[in-house]
Amino acid sequence: MKKYLLAAAGVVAAAVIAAPVAVGASAGTSAATGSATRAPAGQTAPKAAPVKADPAKVTPVKAAAPAADPVRTVRPGERVDAGQGYTVWLTRDGKHWSDPEGFENFRSVVDGNIDRSAPGVSHQSEGNATGVFHSGVYYGTRKAGRVELTDAAGRRTVATLLALPGRPDWGVWYTRTGPVTGNHGGSFDVALYDRRGKLLAELPGFDFPAGRG
């Protein structure tokens, strides 16, 4: 009887001894698993590094270039080569020009022949077998933007504009066209526009001899 009791006691003792080992193994496994998902007690889990987004690429916008001044400023008496042997210059009292042979002419802006209180334009022309030189005075405005010639066929020619420093209320225009028959360029209509393209004044063509107008 004692042998059976001792054997049973041994089995129970073995079971008791084995149980903590099994429990400990389970706890150890759980702890190992927890360490992979949580920080140890008393420590703060490290924060994930923020993902930096690439800054948006911005293409710089170039400022629009200012519009070119349609009127060239010249000094009093400054000679301007108008092409084909013609020269133009301005003084305080008006427009001067010379032809290929050196002959000089003058149109005053202060002798009362033009009314500078309102926009207007004049026209002189000189022609030969090589073409026609056109010029004139525009006046009555400080906002001249364009002088344009139109021939009998509707062809248009834009003139060059000159003015003295300070942009007075008058200036000079000039251009050249091809050779014409008849009145040497007097049949051209002349129109003065401001810088926004508004028509300020018109001068219809006239049948006058070369060099007059």
Side-chain angles (χ1 to χ4, degrees), residues 98-188:
S98 63
D99 64 17
E101 297 178 357
F103 180 77
E104 295 187 4
N105 211 329
F106 170 68
R107 285 294 182 272
S108 176
V109 297
V110 296
D111 63 0
N113 285 330
I114 60 174
D115 179 9
R116 289 165 56 183
S117 66
V121 62
S122 69
H123 180 199
Q124 294 86 46
S125 63
E126 300 177 32
N128 55 36
T130 63
V132 180
F133 175 71
H134 304 264
S135 63
V137 176
Y138 66 85
Y139 51 88
T141 180
R142 288 182 169 84
K143 298 181 180 179
R146 187 170 83 255
V147 168
E148 197 171 78
L149 279 72
T150 305
D151 67 10
R155 292 183 292 263
R156 298 183 177 184
T157 303
V158 177
T160 299
L161 306 184
L162 306 175
L164 294 173
R167 197 58 57 82
D169 62 348
W170 69 275
V172 168
W173 65 267
Y174 70 87
T175 190
R176 289 184 58 83
T177 61
V180 296
T181 59
N183 56 15
H184 301 282
S187 61
F188 283 78

Side-chain angles (χ1 to χ4, degrees), residues 121 123 125 182-190 202-209 212-213:
V121 62
H123 180 199
S125 63
N183 56 15
H184 301 282
S187 61
F188 283 78
D189 298 332
V190 183
E202 288 183 291
L203 179 65
F206 294 96
D207 189 6
F208 51 77
R212 296 183 58 188

